[in-house]
Amino acid sequence: MEKTLSVILLIRPVNCLLAGVAVWVGAHMTWLDPEVVNPLLASIAAFLICASGNIVNDIVDIDIDRVNRPDRVLVQGRLSMQFAIFISIVFNIIAVLCTVFLNLYSIGMAVLAICLLYLYNYKAKRIPVLGNLFIALLSGMVFLTGGLAVNVELTLALPGPLIGAVFSILFHLVREIIKDTEDIEGDMSVGVKTLPQMIGERKSVIVAGIIFLLMTLTTYYPILKGWYGDWYKLITVYFVDLPILAFFIFLWGNPTKKMLSITSI
């Protein structure tokens, strides 16, 4: 039981569930009424690839986590490195097998996501900004994965999954910059170079704020086009844009580690 709980904590299930949900959203943004099986298989694949990526991240970052995240499973020795590597590989294999029942595009997206996660964890994350771009791109890919599981042509049409993908890319760019600002102490201790180290914490918050404004434009464009109706307008303005704007206002006035942690959730 304890080992199972440690695995659940290791994969960070909330992030994985969000990836799976994003696949379902992407599938329904094709404006078709998709059958359950294809989006389900695609969402399971996304969940497992995300879980595997989180495991690899903890393996590679164990020295950083000793400073920034001392509560992490591998830091505390609750699971062995060998077991963590094993389940990471198993998750990726099962994920690709799920996409085999869909189409070649879905298989390609799964393999690409796995490769990008490995490149990110072992190389790109140590290159300023590039690592942030990798994570942002991966977050956008889950919406496209959902669309591809349903209809390849409608995946790249507007309105469609592209709207969700662009929003997610910009949102995660903001989040990653704030996270780097929060983790600046641990990153510096192991020689990982990030944007906040190069330009400073306050300037990094300004950059994140500019990207947030661009993200806001992507949410208002569908409103101006009348694509998604009043519910989309209500949720986007009052439950997405305004709360994030409020966080940025508080963060600008009080850029403490606690506020950075809250904003990067």
Side-chain angles (χ1 to χ4, degrees), residues 15 57 120 125 129-137 139 168-183 187 194-196 204 208 263-264:
N15 290 345
N57 181 267
Y120 166 76
K125 70 183 302 176
V129 183
L130 183 61
N132 303 139
L133 290 171
F134 264 56
I135 293 299
L137 178 61
S139 75
S168 185
I169 288 170
L170 294 174
F171 174 82
H172 279 83
L173 269 178
V174 172
R175 183 172 179 267
E176 286 298 307
I177 292 172
I178 298 299
K179 281 179 62 180
D180 282 348
T181 306
E182 177 194 0
D183 293 343
D187 291 336
T194 60
L195 182 67
S204 295
T263 310
S264 66

Side-chain angles (χ1 to χ4, degrees), residues 65-85:
D65 288 342
R66 294 188 202 281
V67 178
N68 290 336
R69 301 286 190 274
D71 59 330
R72 289 278 167 89
V73 170
L74 295 182
V75 172
Q76 294 183 347
R78 295 167 62 177
L79 293 173
S80 69
M81 282 287 195
Q82 291 79 5
F83 182 73
I85 293 170

Side-chain angles (χ1 to χ4, degrees), residues 37-56:
V37 176
N38 284 9
L40 178 61
L41 288 171
S43 65
I44 291 173
F47 182 99
L48 293 173
I49 291 171
C50 181
S52 176
N54 287 337
I55 294 171
V56 174

Side-chain angles (χ1 to χ4, degrees), residues 142-171:
V142 290
F143 289 92
L144 300 181
T145 297
L148 291 172
V150 176
N151 186 287
V152 175
E153 288 77 19
L154 291 180
T155 299
L156 300 178
L158 292 177
L162 271 176
I163 296 293
V166 172
F167 172 84
S168 185
I169 288 170
L170 294 174
F171 174 82

